[in-house]
Amino acid sequence: LELKRMSVSREHRGWGISRALCREVLRFARARGFGAVVLSTSVVQVAAQRLYESEGFRKVGAASPSPLVPLFCLQMFRYRCDLPGPA
């Protein structure tokens, strides 16, 4: 399962909404038999990286989304969270 573009508005950050959403995505994926959840986030999204890593995601790669991106020092990190199989 791929998680795309999770965002919480600035005025609602710090309330635990991102963590709750992340956990719900993992629960949803497990319940439907997915083996992993993958996502991408940019190098500048440090808070997002910390959140994902605290929820069990691990960094599995890095890439630049276009040939011009290295000029702006913007890199995308790829993350993966492996999910346990059925008990």
Side-chain angles (χ1 to χ4, degrees), residues 6-68:
M6 183 172 74
S7 180
V8 173
S9 63
R10 289 189 194 282
E11 62 268 17
H12 295 103
R13 292 180 187 164
W15 296 7
I17 296 169
S18 294
R19 185 168 307 282
L21 287 170
C22 187
R23 288 179 178 171
E24 182 60 20
V25 167
L26 294 172
R27 187 204 61 74
F28 176 92
R30 264 188 222 103
R32 283 156 182 80
F34 287 94
V37 175
V38 296
L39 60 88
S40 295
T41 191
S42 74
V43 67
V44 297
Q45 300 295 327
V46 176
Q49 293 170 45
R50 284 190 205 126
L51 168 69
Y52 298 135
E53 290 169 4
S54 74
E55 292 300 322
F57 285 84
R58 70 184 192 295
K59 197 180 298 178
V60 294
S64 296
S66 84
L68 297 177

